[in-house]
């Protein structure tokens, strides 16, 4: 099934000049960026995004981390995009991530784990709506699609 997922390149990604590198991995996989913007999350937005983690010991450091500088937020579309992107990310703790995954290649520390992506269809819907109006999501066809998918 063609799905949309929410992806956030966190402030460490922007500061470490890894935005292009990481986006190109999604592009090369055959996934399609259908919305994207650079934003500096305020505390309210960060708290909404991570409401599930409220009360956990890492919650405050997490909110501080994701509000510490600009992030790039995207909607990425493709076949089983939620699973595809989560697998590309690796484990939450970069040390447990295989080399070749994004966190396995670019991260060392859970509280600086480079990228966030939705973990289910419901979460993706909620997170996309939190950051994007429907009018900001662009439907288009890419020239390589017939080579990525069998029609
Ligand atoms: P993310 O995929 O964005 O989802 C929740 C985030 O909380 C996670 O990545 C990490 O940035 C952060 N976090 C920090 N410590 C932990 C922890 N012990 N377990 C899970 N997530 C953590």
């Amino acid at each position: 099934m063609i799905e949309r997922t929410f992806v956030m390149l966190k402030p460490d990604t922007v500061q470490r000049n890894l935005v292009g590198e990481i986006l190109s991995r999604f592009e090369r996989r055959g996934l399609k960026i259908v919305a994207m913007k650079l934003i500096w999350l305020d505390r309210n937005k960060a708290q909404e995004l991570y409401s599930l983690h409220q009360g956990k010991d890492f919650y405050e450091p997490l909110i501080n981390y994701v509000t510490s500088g600009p992030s790039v937020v995207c909607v990425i579309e493709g076949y089983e995009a939620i699973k595809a992107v989560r697998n590309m990310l690796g484990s939450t703790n970069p040390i447990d991530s295989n080399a070749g995954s994004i966190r396995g290649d670019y991260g060392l520390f859970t509280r600086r784990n480079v990228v966030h992506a939705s973990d289910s269809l419901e979460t993706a819907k909620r997170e996309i709506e939190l950051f994007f109006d429907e009018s900001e999501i662009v439907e288009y066809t890419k020239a390589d699609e017939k080579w990525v998918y069998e029609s």
Side-chain angles (χ1 to χ4, degrees):
M1 184 176 72
I2 298 293
E3 297 171 344
R4 286 177 177 170
T5 189
F6 172 75
V7 174
M8 182 166 85
L9 311 187
K10 298 179 181 181
D12 44 338
T13 305
V14 174
Q15 295 298 329
R16 295 173 59 205
N17 308 308
L18 293 171
V19 171
E21 187 112 358
I22 291 171
L23 287 176
S24 77
R25 288 184 174 220
F26 297 128
E27 290 183 314
R28 291 201 304 261
R29 184 83 191 268
L31 293 160
K32 180 158 68 177
I33 299 163
V34 293
M36 180 162 65
K37 56 192 170 190
L38 181 123
I39 53 165
W40 193 321
L41 271 71
D42 61 23
R43 290 189 73 81
N44 283 342
K45 207 62 154 178
Q47 284 167 349
E48 277 188 87
L49 176 64
Y50 287 120
S51 55
L52 187 74
H53 298 300
Q54 200 170 2
K56 296 183 183 165
D57 59 344
F58 60 84
Y59 179 73
E60 270 309 311
L62 172 62
I63 300 301
N64 292 338
Y65 164 36
V66 296
T67 57
S68 62
S71 297
V72 174
V73 290
C74 329
V75 180
I76 290 183
E77 187 181 276
Y79 180 71
E80 299 218 21
I82 293 165
K83 191 173 175 183
V85 170
R86 290 282 292 192
N87 285 341
M88 289 173 77
L89 259 52
S91 305
T92 302
N93 183 347
I95 288 298
D96 297 327
S97 299
N98 291 329
S101 68
I102 292 170
R103 288 169 178 158
D105 286 350
Y106 301 117
L108 283 172
F109 195 63
T110 308
R111 290 177 183 179
R112 297 286 183 273
N113 68 351
V114 186
V115 187
H116 165 84
S118 313
D119 61 3
S120 69
L121 267 178
E122 303 77 65
T123 315
K125 184 175 183 303
R126 188 182 78 81
E127 293 178 346
I128 290 169
E129 284 173 2
L130 196 55
F131 288 91
F132 293 94
D133 290 334
E134 193 54 46
S135 63
E136 293 177 297
I137 302 174
V138 182
E139 276 186 40
Y140 63 105
T141 303
K142 277 174 61 189
D144 66 0
E145 281 175 29
K146 68 176 178 175
W147 301 106
V148 174
Y149 302 109
E150 188 181 66
S151 53

